[in-house]
Amino acid sequence: SVHHLWALNNIVHGYGQAGINTNESDWVYVLHNTTYDNANVTCDAQGSGIGIVVAKATPNYTLTTMDKTYAPYHQIISWNVSYNNILTQCGTASNPYDTDGNGIIMDTFNGSGVDNVLYPNQTLVANNVTYNNGGRGVEIFRSSYVTVSNNTAYNNNLDPFNSGFPRGEIHEAGGVQNVFTNNVAIAIPAASTADPRCKGASYDIAPAPCPLMANVPLLGGSAAGVTDANNTWTTNVTYGGNPPWGWGPNGNAIISPDTMSCTSNKCNVNPSLVGASSFNFALTAQSPAIGYGAAKPYLATSAVDAGACYHSLTKCP
């Protein structure tokens, strides 16, 4: 296990695999980075803008005073902007095998390989902006004990050859005790295969032959051999999305055993951003995200607004 790695204030772009990535790591801090136009080329071990893969606890290690400053979190991915990371040289309409090109992914913390050991420590993914990625904006895949808070995810899942179906802007697939709170997630699904983003993709999964037709703001459910348990979804603002199978609630795809209430979340409510189509995710004065976030001791004071952008900002990021 490698441990105590910091990635601070970097701009990472144009790399064929992942922008920022760790494998079998512990005590990782990825803060204030911008990653874009990565993951375009490599098609076997596919990359994303930011990826923490198969995290592993550091053996026989005694915590320092600095470590305890960030308790209970061992890994923090915060204040990053990740966009336009997409697999452009992989997959075809007849063989749509892509799985990555995400903005941010926490990948297989529940064990992989010979030892298959669950990563027991907590991870925080907070205050990030992700948009226009081929995969999910933020994905928690076969991973547990992750808190996803105050992120803004917009118009991700643009890869028509991604085999995931449906796909959430903020997406959980297999894990326990994951927390999703104070996020703003906006999906822009394709209305039909005529949408140019579909690029001729044709899946035999009626009534959504193009996977972009099934894009949703939030998705949660058991997957990849990991059964969900005790995941929570609260004080999120979601907009857009129309799951073609009637999954819900209200534009999201929260699949048993996960549950999500539109009383404790704002479902299919326009967050009223300054200019999302021009990638300015600041909140207007009328935004329902203002003051909607739940304050937590592990979050900045700006967490009282849902999403990554505090209401005093006129441009974000």
Side-chain angles (χ1 to χ4, degrees):
S1 175
V2 294
H3 58 91
H4 289 87
L5 303 178
W6 295 72
L8 305 173
N9 305 329
N10 300 286
I11 299 173
V12 184
H13 67 98
Y15 188 63
Q17 228 264 2
I20 297 173
N21 191 87
T22 67
N23 291 66
E24 301 187 357
S25 61
D26 193 12
W27 301 102
V28 171
Y29 308 88
V30 182
L31 309 174
H32 293 283
N33 301 282
T34 299
T35 60
Y36 67 95
D37 289 343
N38 299 294
N40 301 149
V41 175
T42 305
C43 301
D44 47 3
Q46 300 168 13
S48 294
I50 298 171
I52 310 297
V53 182
V54 192
K56 289 189 176 181
T58 307
N60 305 317
Y61 175 74
T62 301
L63 273 65
T64 67
T65 300
M66 187 199 74
D67 294 330
K68 296 175 183 178
T69 301
Y70 302 98
Y73 299 104
H74 278 219
Q75 308 200 105
I76 300 177
I77 297 83
S78 291
W79 308 105
N80 302 287
V81 180
S82 189
Y83 65 97
N84 289 8
N85 302 285
I86 185 171
L87 305 175
T88 57
Q89 307 300 315
C90 313
T92 64
S94 61
N95 186 22
Y97 63 81
D98 299 354
T99 60
D100 286 295
N102 308 287
I104 297 171
I105 182 171
M106 303 297 103
D107 193 349
T108 318
F109 290 9
N110 282 44
S112 177
V114 175
D115 52 6
N116 203 34
V117 175
L118 168 68
Y119 180 65
N121 302 317
Q122 294 190 54
T123 300
L124 177 65
V125 181
N127 299 100
N128 304 286
V129 174
T130 63
Y131 62 94
N132 280 22
N133 293 289
R136 291 79 173 162
V138 176
E139 177 166 22
I140 311 304
F141 178 74
R142 290 193 65 200
S143 296
S144 298
Y145 313 124
V146 181
T147 296
V148 179
S149 182
N150 289 94
N151 301 282
T152 296
Y154 170 81
N155 192 34
N156 295 287
N157 297 306
L158 298 182
D159 185 353
F161 309 133
N162 190 300
S163 58
F165 206 82
R167 297 100 60 91
E169 294 289 317
I170 296 175
H171 185 114
E172 193 275 345
V176 303
Q177 295 186 40
N178 293 317
V179 175
F180 300 85
T181 185
N182 298 359
N183 300 289
V184 170
I186 304 172
I188 305 181
S192 71
T193 56
D195 189 310
R197 298 175 299 166
C198 290
K199 296 180 183 176
S202 181
Y203 285 20
D204 187 21
I205 307 178
C210 169
L212 275 72
M213 295 171 65
N215 286 354
V216 297
L218 302 181
L219 183 144
S222 304
V226 177
T227 301
D228 279 15
N230 300 321
N231 296 326
T232 59
W233 304 79
T234 58
T235 57
N236 300 289
V237 180
T238 75
Y239 189 54
N242 183 26
W245 303 277
W247 293 336
N250 289 16
N252 302 288
I254 305 298
I255 306 164
S256 179
D258 283 23
T259 60
M260 174 181 163
S261 164
C262 290
T263 301
S264 54
N265 296 272
K266 292 185 181 296
C267 303
N268 246 340
V269 173
N270 189 335
S272 187
L273 307 182
V274 169
S277 61
S278 57
F279 315 123
N280 181 359
F281 305 111
L283 306 176
T284 67
Q286 297 76 36
S287 173
I290 295 175
Y292 185 65
K296 304 289 183 181
Y298 52 81
L299 295 172
T301 56
S302 60
V304 295
D305 296 339
C309 306
Y310 191 54
H311 67 265
S312 63
L313 299 173
T314 58
K315 187 163 189 330
C316 181

